[in-house]
Amino acid sequence: MTNSLHGRTILLIISGGIAAYKSLDLIRRLREVGARVRCVLTQAGAEFVTPLSVAALSEEPVFTDLFALSDGQAMAHIRLSRESDLVLVAPATANLIGKMAHGLADDLASAVLLANDKPLMIAPAMNGAMWSHPAVQANVATLRQRGVAVIGPGKGLMACGEEGEGRMVEVAAIVEAVTAHFAVSGPLAGKRVLVTSGPTYEPLDPVRFLGNRSSGKQGHAIAAALALSGAETILVTGPVALPDVSGVRTIHVESAREMLAACEAALPCDIAVCAAAVADWRAADTASGKLKKGTGAPRLDLVENPDILATLAQSCPRRPRLVIGFAAETESVHDNAKSKLQRKGCDWLVANQVGTDKVFGKDDNQVTLLRRNAQDEVTADPWPSQSKTDVARRLTEEVVAFFNHSP
Ligand code: CTP
């Protein structure tokens, strides 16, 4: 469960109950398991916890005002739910529950909830008599019927001194409920996958680098497909213009050496897919100041970068069970790919022909999947030209089949 909410954005709505003090800890715990937490604080909530504490703990601006046009808060009631993966109301007071059940929207929190199109969880917190009141019970039943998940409330001594049911459940129970909501089931559930994607940039001086044309589209699509199949997915990517993939822990790097360090830190894992176009060479020395014209063209001494795929494939005893490489070839695709598969020691290799008008940056890809068996024989399976998303899906199906046959 350590990083189970990586890539997830939780919108936390804090309404006005004494349990709001626990929401501060809730922000910390959700962030500890990787979530980004954005908060809406009701006016009553702000009587119990200050916007400053909420902002400091979430490291995000706090949203309070339905009518604010400044500070990037305009139309926040629409944007906030659109930009989240889950909306969580903790504590949820009897008043806010009533407004939700009846579709009232007279402040930012209730307007966000009415405009919400994301899964919704509430952690009620109120006096026991209020909780058992038929009006509250009817409102909660209405919300449940609409698919709202209700966490708690718990029993025990309340701030008012009375005993009963109505306490907000402990923070750990809320974090567990949120984590369980995102725990994807699927054929690769329980498997941990590392994917590399994009190019690497090798600095020449503070403003220039050696790089290549990789867009990261194929690697990112593979990470998305594997995550959808339930795998805990870590994506190590070089500089790309793509958004992070939802549900995937993304680590951004620049150079090959940074990519290797991030990959080694992600071990152990069950599967590694090296789709990055790693720069083969870097400058032996990086100039500390900008290289200037006028003294003739600079001489570039290059040294070879570490081979990430080969390192992972030979990383005994932490070698992933299934190591998949890519081969970007401009000619003799099959022969070059076959010897690359054997040379690097990976299990499968996805080979494709590249050129300035092919593959890099495009949405389609025609690949051949080469597999090496225990006897070191290589078989080749050419796939039809298809979208990079479909290549990713098919590769994921092959991975699932591999683990089904040899669990
Ligand atoms: N790769 C890697 N680290 C490197 C170079 C390549 O992990 N330093 C990986 C790529 O991610 C890919 C595979 O190795 O999965 C093959 O990459 P490719 O660029 O096709 O091969 P090269 O290693 O550059 O070999 P060649 O120069 O013979 O094409």
Side-chain angles (χ1 to χ4, degrees), residues 24 41 49-58 60 62:
L24 297 178
L41 188 59
V49 290
T50 68
L52 188 61
S53 319
V54 174
L57 287 167
S58 63
E60 297 275 349
V62 179

Side-chain angles (χ1 to χ4, degrees), residues 196-198 200 256 259 273-281 304-312 324-329 336 340 343-344 346 348-350 352 354 360:
T196 69
S197 183
T200 62
M259 186 173 273
V273 184
C274 292
V278 184
D280 289 319
W281 300 282
E304 203 168 307
N305 266 329
D307 193 305
I308 298 166
L309 173 63
T311 308
L312 292 175
I324 307 174
F326 270 68
E329 306 293 344
N336 283 342
K340 199 171 276 182
R343 192 172 70 239
K344 300 217 181 196
C346 55
W348 298 357
L349 198 82
V350 182
N352 54 21
V354 293
F360 283 143

